[in-house]
Amino acid sequence: MPNTPLTILLAAPRGFCAGVDRAIQIVEVALERFGPPVYVRHEIVHNRFVVQSLEAKGAVFVDELTQVPDGVPVVFSAHGVPKAVPAEAERRGLFYLDATCPLVSKVHREAERHHVEGRQVILIGHAGHPEVIGTMGQLPAGAVLLVETVEDVARVAVADPDNLAFATQTTLSVDETAGILAALQERFPAIAGPRKEDICYATTNRQQAVKAIAPQVDALLVLGAPNSSNSKRLVEVAKGAGCTRAQLVQRAADIDWSALADVRRLGITAGASAPEVLVEEVIEAARARFDVTVEQVRTATEDVVFKLPKALTDAPTPSQGGVANA
Ligand code: SF4
């Protein structure tokens, strides 16, 4: 088998986006500046490998703010949080760092603006995803209506069809969302919203790169977590673009290589929360079984970088008086 040729088509861009990079850096810099423990509400990004690496450095992941003791810093995840969360942190006098991706925060501010201007907001997204919970939680309960499918659009009951706006989750399928949006605009021609949707550059670019390689490969692996929205969408996009044998894998150890024995061209990509080391691990595992040639297929170049929050860079370190409060 090691003599069997295998060409790997590596999608680019893949893996970490600017929002994930920033969120992980916030935890790492907080650990350096303040020392462990640094608490993190929810997985900072949806990747077990990332979470475990940060835990090894002293981060403590919890589900709710009630699990955070007084006097320690707490970070909110990249997906964003309902307004009630920072409000509660302030009430308790906690020092908190908000790692919400700036592109998610932008959606929050837009939803608020529409609400202030009297429009009911229809959010296209997946129920229960932390980003959707965070975006809906920017406005009073009931002010945001969620639609997940074209069928939902037909059913949604609005207060005034002439006073609506839409927003979207940032990690949706571009093509699927276009269909839902078209249905919304057909039913509510006066609906306001962004020029296209709120799907972020990283999600769009990763989907485009997958579309470019999917028709050229026998099978395709997406490195990503089962709860990572953008990773799951990459599998769907690959299937939609002609690669029926697309699957999500968390890391090399999860791959059933016997099921890939007949594959001569293998596509690989990674969701926005999956570190490159996991891609390298898969290529190494393939090299142990095949005579591997790697070709990178780049469809876009990314140079987006987000600044760290001032609350982190300006905060006094413990030797300067601690972090007892912001
Ligand atoms: Fe931000 Fe997009 Fe990355 Fe989400 S996937 S963290 S919205 S850049």
Side-chain angles (χ1 to χ4, degrees), residues 17-20 78 101-104 131 170-171 200-203 230 272 306:
C17 59
V20 162
C101 176
L103 299 180
V104 175
E131 183 185 326
T170 56
T171 52
C200 75
Y201 78 96
T203 298
N230 82 87
F306 295 130

Side-chain angles (χ1 to χ4, degrees), residues 90-123:
E90 269 160 38
R91 192 194 63 75
R92 283 184 52 196
L94 294 175
F95 174 73
Y96 66 89
L97 294 159
D98 189 354
T100 303
C101 176
L103 299 180
V104 175
S105 299
K106 185 170 160 248
V107 178
H108 291 179
R109 300 294 77 79
E110 279 292 288
E112 269 184 327
R113 181 178 66 83
H114 289 304
H115 182 66
V116 167
E117 291 172 3
R119 296 181 202 97
Q120 195 172 22
V121 176
I122 298 181
L123 176 67

Side-chain angles (χ1 to χ4, degrees), residues 46-47 129 171 224-233 248 271-274:
H46 282 153
N47 191 276
H129 188 277
T171 52
N227 55 348
S228 159
S229 171
N230 82 87
S231 304
K232 287 192 288 190
R233 302 294 84 78
L248 190 66
S273 42

